[in-house]
Amino acid sequence: MATSEKRDATDASCASTGQVPRTHPIFKMAGEVISAAGLAAEPAAKSTDRLVHFDAHVFKRGIKGLEAARLLVGAGYWEYATSVARQLFELLVNMEHLGSFADRKEVCGIHTGFGLLQFFLAESRRIEFEKGRGRPPGSPWEVSVKDFLDNHFADFRLTPRPDGSTRWQTSWSGKTTRALAEASPDPMRVSQYELLFSTWSEQTHATPGVFATDLFVQHEDEIIEEALAEVDEVPLEVLRAISGVGRREVQTLSMASLLFLQLWQQLPNVRQPSSDEFDKWQATIKRHAATKGLPIC
């Protein structure tokens, strides 16, 4: 079989399953963004400057997120990629909030301190779990963890519960993700929040709505196919773009890509893409997603 015939067969197979083929502009664009971001991350990751190193860590987490979303969408698993897009959104609104302070270095220290608190709280829970499974209490590490929690992190300690137990802040900023979205300078953040934390929430949490969605997407595709069967010479890319699952996969990867690009802009110590590159990538996202009801801009 010729190479072009193989490609046609692959694209036809992807269209029938809703899977976005690797030749789709959104898939190719996400790959370009990941490659460019990887090159930009290298100098920052090697820096000994505390602030540069902080931005590099956030950036590398974002790159991994976009890579994961691309892999999942490329394999036809858009439902699982929604949780990755959600994490990118949370990274973005937190970095927007962090960047709103006059002294970014000081606030980065608060962010890092809360991360350290989360580490010790996780260790404390792990130790309690292992003790419940028969591990002897009183290990040196258990004592160290308790001592650290008792004598540090005063800025994150809230009024104790009625039973006297310690109560901690649930975020470094003291704000919920929704509050951060509402405080964002980007007016689309609240709409994006609603999509990721409400409309796509069933996909993230595997609620019964997931199965209803799967059922009706299947019927949606069948209805579209029947309606277009009578129309001559409908291009394959048109069929794929308007089919239920295919559309959702394009939307999911578009959203993840957009959020990553905007996260990149919030990290001043990472080399930024040129304005031409950024405009080209954003134009690709708009062309393939903005007209399909996705909150882009």
Side-chain angles (χ1 to χ4, degrees):
M1 182 182 288
T3 302
S4 60
E5 292 174 335
K6 288 181 179 179
R7 187 182 302 114
D8 290 343
T10 299
D11 284 359
S13 174
C14 289
S16 66
T17 61
Q19 179 180 334
V20 177
R22 293 176 180 270
T23 55
H24 192 286
I26 287 293
F27 197 89
K28 294 173 69 176
M29 180 222 66
E32 290 177 12
V33 171
I34 290 167
S35 295
L39 293 174
E42 289 180 7
K46 296 176 182 177
S47 174
T48 56
D49 183 279
R50 182 178 167 186
L51 231 113
V52 177
H53 205 57
F54 175 87
D55 281 2
H57 272 285
V58 174
F59 192 49
K60 288 172 72 176
R61 181 74 177 192
I63 293 172
K64 287 181 179 179
L66 185 55
E67 285 178 328
R70 186 171 181 263
L71 287 169
L72 288 166
V73 168
Y77 303 134
W78 77 275
E79 306 95 325
Y80 299 92
T82 59
S83 61
V84 179
R86 188 164 165 166
Q87 185 175 137
L88 286 168
F89 180 85
E90 294 195 51
L91 275 175
L92 171 57
V93 294
N94 275 279
M95 290 305 104
E96 283 181 333
H97 184 63
L98 189 149
S100 69
F101 291 87
D103 191 340
R104 192 170 184 272
K105 186 173 184 178
E106 179 183 354
V107 183
C108 281
I110 296 172
H111 188 283
T112 302
F114 187 77
L116 194 61
L117 167 63
Q118 287 184 308
F119 168 79
F120 279 101
L121 287 175
E123 281 298 288
S124 178
R125 289 190 291 268
R126 181 185 63 79
I127 289 168
E128 290 304 312
F129 172 79
E130 291 181 354
K131 284 162 61 178
R133 301 290 294 175
R135 176 179 175 175
S139 70
W141 180 236
E142 179 183 353
V143 173
S144 296
V145 168
K146 184 178 184 306
D147 179 71
F148 216 86
L149 288 171
D150 287 345
N151 296 289
H152 297 80
F153 311 115
D155 291 342
F156 303 118
R157 200 183 302 272
L158 301 176
T159 304
R161 295 185 181 88
D163 64 1
S165 60
T166 304
R167 195 163 58 95
W168 300 99
Q169 272 185 207
T170 56
S171 71
W172 71 273
S173 63
K175 297 179 181 292
T176 64
T177 302
R178 184 179 185 89
L180 291 175
E182 291 171 345
S184 170
D186 191 320
M188 288 306 300
R189 283 293 173 261
V190 174
S191 295
Q192 292 167 346
Y193 175 89
E194 291 297 337
L195 177 71
L196 292 165
F197 289 78
S198 180
T199 306
W200 286 351
S201 183
E202 291 85 357
Q203 308 300 331
T204 300
H205 297 292
T207 68
V210 171
F211 308 107
T213 300
D214 290 344
L215 174 64
F216 287 108
V217 164
Q218 178 183 351
H219 289 309
E220 179 183 347
D221 289 346
E222 290 173 356
I223 292 169
I224 290 171
E225 289 175 7
E226 289 177 6
L228 294 177
E230 301 176 1
V231 182
D232 294 332
E233 299 180 355
V234 178
L236 179 62
E237 58 270 20
V238 173
L239 284 168
R240 184 184 303 118
I242 63 177
S243 66
V245 179
R247 182 175 71 250
R248 286 166 177 79
E249 294 199 343
V250 169
Q251 287 180 339
T252 305
L253 187 54
S254 295
M255 176 62 90
S257 300
L258 174 74
L259 295 174
F260 175 78
L261 288 173
Q262 294 179 339
L263 172 66
W264 194 343
Q265 291 181 310
Q266 295 299 318
L267 303 172
N269 294 299
V270 175
R271 188 178 73 237
Q272 298 292 306
S274 69
S275 57
D276 288 343
E277 281 182 308
F278 187 87
D279 290 346
K280 179 187 73 171
W281 292 330
Q282 186 159 266
T284 299
I285 294 170
K286 288 182 179 180
R287 185 165 63 252
H288 291 276
T291 57
K292 300 178 177 64
L294 185 68
I296 290 293
C297 60

